[in-house]
Amino acid sequence: MALTNYYASIAIVEIHDDNKVTIESISITKGECILSGAWDFSIKDTEKISNVVSGKLIIPLGNESAVKKLLAASDLKYITAKPFLQEANKAANEALVAYEFFKSEDVKKRKKMVEPTFFNWPDDLDFNKASEYFESIGKMAVPSETPIQMKKTLSAARLVKHLVDMWQRDEQERANRKYVDGVEAEITILPESWLKEFTPL
């Protein structure tokens, strides 16, 4: 991949029925993805909200058009799960094909090679249903003491972190293999479909 960004930031933005706005931010660097901040604003705090989301990729929860209307004054990029998942799936499949080809070139010498293992990427995910996804894989979506209004926002942020962690793990697996070389061996912090949207201020 030609993209070499070493940092990206994502904000999960949710507008609630009582005109509260909750935000969770995620900071991503090479080898690390952390939940870097949480906020609870009134919908009238437009300047504060704008400052928090500035320079970040946005994942809107709930009423997407309402979130975009709230953030209309900012030049922001919005991302969804599907392109990320499609690219992650494709990269994993291509690496497995490369492994099989590399092994077949000299079966006797390479018969003891260990097949790479990659995350079992779903076809699509709804960040609004992050808690349901975590339940399906036997993991807790959010700590029990999480305030009710933050639960959906936080669970979505934790799902983003989970996906990024799995992507970076897969990237490490690809980079560690002999049959992957050159540019493709460079570890990227995110799939290109998301990374290309990130233009730091």
Side-chain angles (χ1 to χ4, degrees):
M1 296 180 184
L3 295 165
T4 55
N5 298 50
Y6 295 111
Y7 172 79
S9 185
I10 297 169
I12 313 289
V13 182
E14 180 180 4
I15 299 176
H16 300 265
D17 293 338
D18 61 356
N19 285 331
K20 288 285 188 179
V21 179
T22 51
I23 303 172
E24 284 276 350
S25 69
I26 303 121
S27 296
I28 303 154
T29 57
K30 193 172 180 179
E32 186 174 47
C33 177
I34 60 170
L35 302 186
S36 52
W39 295 265
D40 180 353
F41 294 116
S42 161
I43 202 168
K44 295 177 182 178
D45 293 329
T46 51
E47 187 174 346
K48 291 178 182 178
I49 293 168
S50 181
N51 287 339
V52 167
V53 302
S54 177
K56 295 178 173 65
L57 299 175
I58 306 299
I59 295 175
L61 297 184
N63 188 334
E64 186 174 332
S65 60
V67 173
K68 289 183 175 181
K69 184 178 179 181
L70 173 66
L71 305 178
S74 306
D75 184 21
L76 297 168
K77 300 286 183 66
Y78 294 82
I79 52 175
T80 60
K82 193 154 192 169
F84 183 118
L85 298 171
Q86 288 176 331
E87 192 172 336
N89 245 318
K90 183 172 181 281
N93 290 333
E94 287 177 351
L96 287 170
V97 169
Y99 158 78
E100 293 293 350
F101 179 75
F102 182 78
K103 187 176 179 180
S104 69
E105 287 183 313
D106 192 339
V107 177
K108 288 184 179 179
K109 186 183 287 187
R110 298 170 182 167
K111 66 180 179 180
K112 292 184 179 179
M113 280 184 68
V114 177
E115 181 175 337
T117 56
F118 298 107
F119 183 63
N120 182 24
W121 295 98
D123 293 328
D124 201 5
L125 284 173
D126 183 350
F127 288 119
N128 287 289
K129 299 178 180 177
S131 60
E132 293 173 25
Y133 173 77
F134 281 118
E135 284 175 17
S136 75
I137 62 171
K139 291 189 174 183
M140 187 169 64
V142 294
S144 58
E145 67 273 14
T146 304
I148 292 175
Q149 207 155 35
M150 286 299 298
K151 283 188 173 181
K152 186 176 174 182
T153 317
L154 179 56
S155 62
R158 286 166 67 99
L159 180 52
V160 171
K161 172 176 165 50
H162 175 65
L163 296 180
V164 174
D165 286 343
M166 293 303 99
W167 167 262
Q168 293 197 4
R169 191 190 72 176
D170 277 12
E171 281 282 85
Q172 189 66 55
E173 180 79 340
R174 284 186 281 269
N176 285 341
R177 300 293 174 153
K178 289 181 180 178
Y179 51 83
V180 181
D181 54 22
V183 174
E184 290 185 6
E186 293 179 7
I187 294 174
T188 59
I189 62 172
L190 289 170
E192 185 173 348
S193 57
W194 279 17
L195 200 56
K196 70 183 180 182
E197 299 294 343
F198 186 73
T199 49
L201 296 177

